């Protein structure tokens, strides 16, 4: 049986996690991994050692999901702001029985700032996220992914777009 391996990337606050959770409910026999869960640490430390650890964690879990006969759809979302990150993860996965899908969730700078400000109001993010996430918006335009512009659509609509591309 061929499985669907779905990668969803985008800058912080663009709606990757929300879109992925909705997609998980739409697709049968699906499992979802958010890359952030693989290094939810305090304090948050980014070094070569911790970057290696998080990639090891992600690929270990994704390979286990792929190997498990109970799942047909594996959804993975993470910032993945460089093509090399996607390539590194995919190179370490057993994808022989998988159809790979790669999506970048993108939006306008104005839409992103509005989303982040709403998250700040709700206590989900801190103000400094804006200065870190906006410059990364451009990273996704030249990646080997299908782009979904969510500037004027909801996460539910984005999930439905992905669903329709996978189930055709």
């Amino acid at each position: 049986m061929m499985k669907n391996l779905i990668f969803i990337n985008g800058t912080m606050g663009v709606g990757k996690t929300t879109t992925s959770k909705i997609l998980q409910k739409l697709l049968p026999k699906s499992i979802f991994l958010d890359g952030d869960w693989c290094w939810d640490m305090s304090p948050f430390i980014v070094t070569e050692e911790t970057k290696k650890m998080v990639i090891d964690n992600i690929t270990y879990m994704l390979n286990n999901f792929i190997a498990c006969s109970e799942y047909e759809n594996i959804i993975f979302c993470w910032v993945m702001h460089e093509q090399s990150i996607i390539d590194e993860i995919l190179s370490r996965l057993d994808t022989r029985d998988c159809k790979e899908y790669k999506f970048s969730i993108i939006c306008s700078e104005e839409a992103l700032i509005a989303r982040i400000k709403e998250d700040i109001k709700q206590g989900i993010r801190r103000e400094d996220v804006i200065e870190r996430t906006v410059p990364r918006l451009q990273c996704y335009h030249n990646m080997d992914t299908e782009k979904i512009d969510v500037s004027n659509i909801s996460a539910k609509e984005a999930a439905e777009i992905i669903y329709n591309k996978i189930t055709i």
Side-chain angles (χ1 to χ4, degrees), residues 105-145:
I105 305 291
I106 60 171
C107 68
S108 68
E109 185 174 325
E110 298 77 23
L112 180 61
I113 290 170
R115 289 168 188 246
I116 299 287
K117 284 185 175 178
E118 186 58 37
D119 287 353
I120 292 167
K121 249 196 283 188
Q122 294 179 26
I124 298 169
R125 298 185 193 276
R126 295 191 334 255
E127 187 80 32
D128 68 330
V129 169
I130 294 173
E131 65 196 40
R132 289 186 291 135
T133 194
V134 169
R136 285 199 172 165
L137 267 175
Q138 295 310 309
C139 296
Y140 301 92
H141 290 278
N142 296 321
M143 296 183 84
D144 180 24
T145 57

Side-chain angles (χ1 to χ4, degrees), residues 59-75:
T59 56
Y60 177 82
M61 291 184 72
L62 290 175
N63 273 319
N64 278 343
F65 295 161
I66 291 167
C68 183
S69 65
E70 294 298 326
Y71 301 107
E72 295 173 7
N73 296 287
I74 299 134
I75 305 161

Side-chain angles (χ1 to χ4, degrees), residues 9-165:
N9 71 352
T11 196
M12 290 177 287
V14 78
K16 298 176 301 298
T17 300
T18 304
T19 298
S20 296
K21 286 180 178 179
I22 294 167
L23 182 62
Q24 181 185 20
K25 289 182 173 91
L26 294 174
L27 290 169
K29 294 188 170 189
S30 61
I31 191 159
F32 166 52
L33 174 65
D34 187 325
D36 287 347
W37 300 339
C38 294
W39 69 348
D40 184 0
M41 59 183 124
S42 180
F44 185 71
I45 301 166
V46 180
T47 64
E48 288 308 310
E49 180 183 16
T50 60
K51 287 194 273 187
K52 179 188 178 311
M53 176 201 65
V54 75
I55 297 293
D56 288 347
N57 290 344
I58 287 166
T59 56
Y60 177 82
M61 291 184 72
L62 290 175
N63 273 319
N64 278 343
F65 295 161
I66 291 167
C68 183
S69 65
E70 294 298 326
Y71 301 107
E72 295 173 7
N73 296 287
I74 299 134
I75 305 161
F76 171 61
C77 82
W78 199 29
V79 170
M80 297 183 283
H81 64 291
E82 297 172 352
Q83 184 67 43
S84 62
I85 298 169
I86 294 172
D87 295 344
E88 166 76 9
I89 293 168
L90 284 171
S91 76
R92 295 173 59 179
L93 299 179
D94 180 0
T95 60
R96 284 175 293 187
D97 296 322
C98 294
K99 181 152 168 81
E100 297 172 16
Y101 296 90
K102 297 173 281 189
F103 298 96
S104 289
I105 305 291
I106 60 171
C107 68
S108 68
E109 185 174 325
E110 298 77 23
L112 180 61
I113 290 170
R115 289 168 188 246
I116 299 287
K117 284 185 175 178
E118 186 58 37
D119 287 353
I120 292 167
K121 249 196 283 188
Q122 294 179 26
I124 298 169
R125 298 185 193 276
R126 295 191 334 255
E127 187 80 32
D128 68 330
V129 169
I130 294 173
E131 65 196 40
R132 289 186 291 135
T133 194
V134 169
R136 285 199 172 165
L137 267 175
Q138 295 310 309
C139 296
Y140 301 92
H141 290 278
N142 296 321
M143 296 183 84
D144 180 24
T145 57
E146 188 163 342
K147 313 309 179 269
I148 299 175
D149 190 329
V150 296
S151 299
N152 299 303
I153 66 171
S154 67
K156 182 179 187 295
E157 290 168 301
E160 289 169 349
I161 289 168
I162 295 170
Y163 174 85
N164 288 329
K165 291 183 182 290

